[in-house]
Each structure stands twice: as structure tokens, then as C-alpha cells.
Amino acid sequence: MSLARKAGRLLSSAGGAVTVQFVTAGGSLVVQALAARGLGAHGYGAYALLVAVLVMITAVQTSWVGDTLTVFDRFDPRVRGALIQSVAGTVALGAAVGAAVAVAMGLAGPGGIALFAFLVALWLLNETGRRVFTARMEFWRLALNDTCYLLVTFATLGVAFAVGTPASVELLLAAMCMGCASSIVLAVLRLPAEEFAPAPLRGTAFREIAAFAWWRSIQAAIRPSALLAARVMIVAFASTAALAGVEAARLLLAPALTFVNGAGWFLLGDFAKAEREGRPMRARQAVRACGLMAGIALVMSVLGIALAGWLGPVVTGGSFAVDEKALVGWGIYAVCFACTLPLASLATARKRSRTVFAIRAAEALTGLAVLAVLLAADPRNAALAPYCLGIGGLVSAALLWRMLRRGDPPRGAAGAPAAVPEATAAAR
């Protein structure tokens, strides 16, 4: 295959990965905008906390299951058996944890708690199917599944509003359940039968998988857990109304964060594939990806800030104001996130999850400690949350780069010509 064709395929895969994130996050943005408009500041604050809990649980599960699908041979019977055990266990545990957290926070009534637990279970099953598409590098096919979820969710909300059902947290959760169920069915119909083949549940590689997945899961949970903790602190020190203003600012910068997430999906798959094929990537290629992603995130953030005056009332419906200080902070957060993610992805592909966890945990804990001090001094400092959580990413990026350089393969030791990795880096 010619170098041009290889680069074209890489660009197509990367574009599909980013498109998937834009489809998913774009739909989520619309749903959250409907929540902001229909529920008001306090209702939207509660909904934002539920979504944060869902994101945190998903990050843990998809890192344990999804990254194992990507990094290990999922058709090995021992690995496959461990994956089946992992899916069953994480879905059940995730639903229980989601319900317990929602009860502890007092975010909904009994009906809402039951709906949220059901949504967590469906969401994790759907996410497993999504990660199978990712492991197959079939991002454009995944985009169709995500579109199905969005269309069914919006259709459910549309019918409910048409018959006069008032907006509520429970209605939004029920619509998301319908969307997840439809996406799961579509994935089962579209994925080949080999992806659902059974495997023995005795003598599995569960311990080997757990040695990798445990650290990867808690590492991947750091960012959403830190965001959840920051939201809880804002509500505790200030109010749900203050959280709503900060969250609305995040929604306006969602495209930049979405781009970074999408590119990260592609990078992990590409780095892991290169490791398996004996042509491991070098740290400098991850740094190039950092520079490209950070530049794009910066441009998208500046555009989001410039359009905030027009888009803000559209998102909130005029029921509350977007926090302008937080708006700039989320832009900085997106750029710092872009500087860290490619390096963390390469370290994960090299199965260095424990080291990545240590670095990222120190970053998150420091940011949360600074935020707690600022909120205790003045609750109006809630807008500084994205600054506290984002800027430390630059230090993490430097530490990851230093660690990766030490583990770089010798020049010329890869199993493919040097031009192939160079094409990969250029495609990013």
C-alpha cells in the first residue's frame, strides 16, 4: 500500500473518531440545553450532577472493558472469558453505585433513582458495544449507532412534550433510556456474530486483565471524578444556581472538549495497534499530536468565547446567566487537556497505566485542594474551578513526556519503515 493511501486511511479513521464524538457530544449538548431551558438553574444543577455521576461510572467501566478490548486480543478464549465476566460485573455494580450516589446526594425521588439506575445499566451495555466498534476501528459505523441513540432520545422527548408532559429530570432520564436501548439493539444487528461468541468462564485471564485494567480504570476515572468533586464543592459552598452558570459555560466550550476526546479515542487505538504490530510509536510523535490538538482546541475555544454573547441565551433560555469567567477557564482547560491526552494514550498503549495514574492523581488532588481553599475563602470563586483543574495538566504533560522518552524504542528497531510512523504523526 502506498504512503499516500496509508495516510488517507489514517485521516479517515481519525475523522471518524472525531465525528463520533461530535455526534455524541452535540446530541448531549442539545439535551442539556433542553434541561437548562426547561428545568431552570436549580433543576439543571441537579441534572448536571446526575450526568457527572454517569460519566464517572462510564469512565471506569469503559476503561476496564473498552481499553482491554483495544489493547488485548479479544478473540483469545481466556481474554474473552474475562471480558464477559467484566461486562456482567461492571454493569451490575455500576447501576448499584449510580443509585446509591443519587440517593446520597438527594438528586431525585424514588422514581428518578430507579430510572437513573436503569439508565446506568443500559448506558454501560451500550458503551460496551461502542467500544467494540472502536476496537475494530469502525468509527463511521459507530457514528450511525450514536445517531440512532440521539434520534430516539429526541423523538421520545418530542412525543412527551407534544402530549403536554412537563419537563422534568425523570422525563430526560426516561428518554435517554429509550435511546440507549435502541442503540444496543442496532449494535447487536450490525456487529458480526464473532463479536458475541461465548467463551469459557473458568480459567480466564481475569487476573492478567485486572493487572492492566485496574490502574487504567482508576486513571481514566480521575478526570470525571475530579469534575464531579468540583461540582459537589460548588454546590456545597455556593449553590446549584452557581453550578448552573459554570456548567452553561462548559456547554458553550463543549466543541473543543469534544474534539480532544475524539482525537484521544483514535490515538489510543492507533498507538495500541502499532505496539501489537511491532512498530511502536516514539514520544516525539505523541508530542506532535499534543501540539496539533492544543492548537485546534485553542482556536475552537476562542470561537466559543466570541460567540458566547449570542449562544448563551439560546442555551439557558434566559433563565440564568453564563459565568463569563468560567467560560475562559474552560477554554484553558480544553487546551491543557489536549496537551496531556496524547501522551497519556501512548503510555496506556505501553501498559504504563499505574504511572499515568500516579501523575494524574497528583494533578487532580492538587487542583481540588486549591479549589476548596478558594471556595472556602469566597463562594463566588466557583468560576475558578476549570482553572484549578486544567492548568496542572501542563505539569502532567511534562512528566509523561519525560517518562515516555526513557521508554522509547531504539531508533530503527520498529518492525516497519520509519516513514510509516511519520505518516501517522502527520495524519494527526
Side-chain angles (χ1 to χ4, degrees):
M1 185 183 294
S2 69
L3 185 61
R5 288 184 63 189
K6 288 179 180 179
R9 290 183 64 181
L10 286 167
L11 283 170
S12 178
S13 295
V18 174
T19 298
V20 165
Q21 289 295 312
F22 272 104
V23 168
T24 305
S28 176
L29 175 63
V30 174
V31 173
Q32 292 190 56
L34 290 173
R37 293 175 66 90
L39 302 178
H42 293 283
Y44 177 60
Y47 176 76
L49 283 173
L50 284 174
V51 171
V53 173
L54 178 61
V55 170
M56 180 191 68
I57 294 172
T58 303
V60 174
Q61 192 263 5
T62 196
S63 297
W64 187 293
V65 175
D67 289 348
T68 299
L69 282 168
T70 302
V71 176
F72 289 80
D73 179 8
R74 65 186 181 280
F75 297 111
D76 181 321
R78 295 181 68 246
V79 172
R80 194 166 194 81
L83 283 169
I84 293 172
Q85 293 172 334
S86 297
V87 171
T90 54
V91 168
L93 182 60
V97 170
V101 173
V103 169
M105 291 185 177
L107 298 176
I113 298 299
L115 271 173
F116 183 64
F118 187 48
L119 172 62
V120 171
L122 288 175
W123 194 277
L124 296 182
L125 286 173
N126 184 45
E127 190 66 25
T128 301
R130 297 181 77 247
R131 292 307 298 261
V132 173
F133 280 112
T134 301
R136 297 172 63 86
M137 300 294 280
E138 294 179 347
F139 296 107
W140 291 108
R141 287 169 60 82
L142 173 56
L144 179 59
N145 256 66
D146 287 351
T147 301
C148 172
Y149 160 76
L150 295 175
L151 291 177
V152 173
T153 300
F154 293 151
T156 303
L157 289 173
V159 170
F161 291 147
V163 299
T165 306
S168 66
V169 171
E170 289 76 10
L171 174 60
L172 290 168
L173 296 177
M176 293 168 72
C177 285
M178 293 293 291
C180 275
S182 65
S183 185
I184 291 169
V185 171
L186 187 59
V188 171
L189 294 175
R190 298 177 67 231
L191 286 168
E194 64 181 359
E195 297 291 357
F196 302 99
L201 298 181
R202 291 185 177 181
T204 69
F206 189 84
R207 288 189 177 182
E208 296 93 316
I209 296 300
F212 162 80
W214 166 254
W215 290 108
R216 174 57 181 160
S217 295
I218 57 177
Q219 171 218 322
I222 289 174
R223 188 174 296 275
S225 297
L227 288 170
L228 175 60
R231 288 165 174 138
V232 171
M233 284 196 291
I234 290 172
V235 171
F237 282 100
S239 65
T240 52
L243 175 62
V246 175
E247 284 296 300
R250 184 187 60 81
L251 286 182
L252 293 178
L253 271 294
L257 294 167
T258 298
F259 163 77
V260 176
N261 272 321
W265 267 40
F266 170 75
L267 287 172
L268 178 58
D270 195 35
F271 289 155
K273 182 179 179 182
E275 290 283 331
R276 291 195 303 268
E277 294 178 352
R279 49 180 184 86
M281 300 292 186
R282 300 178 64 83
R284 62 184 173 84
Q285 292 169 299
V287 171
R288 290 181 183 178
C290 290
L292 178 60
M293 289 170 57
I296 296 174
L298 176 61
V299 171
M300 297 178 74
S301 297
V302 170
L303 288 174
I305 293 169
L307 295 173
W310 176 67
L311 291 176
V314 175
V315 170
T316 65
S319 56
F320 59 94
V322 174
D323 194 309
E324 295 182 358
K325 185 184 295 184
L327 190 65
V328 177
W330 287 118
I332 294 173
Y333 179 94
V335 173
C336 294
F337 185 19
C339 290
T340 308
L341 190 57
L343 295 162
S345 296
L346 180 56
T348 300
R350 293 183 181 180
K351 300 180 182 178
R352 298 291 303 273
S353 297
R354 184 172 182 173
T355 304
V356 178
F357 164 75
I359 293 172
R360 297 296 316 286
E363 169 201 331
L365 290 173
T366 302
L368 288 172
V370 172
L371 177 61
V373 171
L374 292 173
L375 286 172
D378 187 348
R380 290 175 295 181
N381 286 328
L384 299 179
Y387 298 90
C388 296
L389 297 178
I391 294 175
L394 297 178
V395 178
S396 293
L399 294 174
L400 287 168
W401 173 74
R402 183 181 179 186
M403 180 265 289
L404 289 168
R405 280 195 65 190
R406 292 177 176 176
D408 267 350
R411 292 185 182 275
V420 174
E422 288 293 336
T424 303
R428 296 190 192 103

